[in-house]
């Protein structure tokens, strides 16, 4: 993230009794995250902006990304307008990485 930039936000869309993690996350403009992984297959649906994954490319609204459990990737980043993405994975949130 650029110095002084806004933090990312996470908004869970499921309750504790659900066996899926469904959430939206937003990245501020020009955010750059870290290399990480999730223990479950994970699906991403881009709602707004540009969601950029090093080595994979740029995802735009309506694009769907799938990542196999245990696959390390990143960093994830956002374009100049930030981005909003829906994440769906099997398991509870927060998912360990």
């Amino acid at each position: 993230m650029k110095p002084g930039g806004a933090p990312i936000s996470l908004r869970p869309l499921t309750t504790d009794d659900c066996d899926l993690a469904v959430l939206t996350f937003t990245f501020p403009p020009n955010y750059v995250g870290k290399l990480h992984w999730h223990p479950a297959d994970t699906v991403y649906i881009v709602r707004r902006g540009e969601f950029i994954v090093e080595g994979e490319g740029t995802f735009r609204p309506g694009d769907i990304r799938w990542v196999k459990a245990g696959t390390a990737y990143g960093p994830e980043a956002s374009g100049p307008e930030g981005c909003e993405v829906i994440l769906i994975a099997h398991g509870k949130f927060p998912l360990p990485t």
Side-chain angles (χ1 to χ4, degrees), residues 18-96:
C18 184
D19 63 352
L20 292 175
V22 181
L23 59 107
T24 60
F25 64 84
T26 57
F27 289 164
N30 302 309
Y31 171 84
V32 178
K34 298 179 181 178
L35 177 77
H36 69 282
W37 63 278
H38 296 285
D41 288 4
T42 306
V43 174
Y44 300 77
I45 304 166
V46 180
R47 294 188 61 188
R48 178 182 57 80
E50 292 181 337
F51 178 56
I52 304 158
V53 182
E54 186 174 298
E56 294 182 34
T58 300
F59 299 85
R60 293 178 175 81
D63 288 347
I64 297 173
R65 174 178 178 247
W66 172 75
V67 180
K68 184 165 178 54
T71 301
Y73 60 88
E76 294 172 330
S78 64
E81 296 180 10
C83 68
E84 179 180 359
V85 178
I86 297 172
L87 178 148
I88 304 166
H90 187 265
K92 303 288 184 191
F93 183 80
L95 298 170

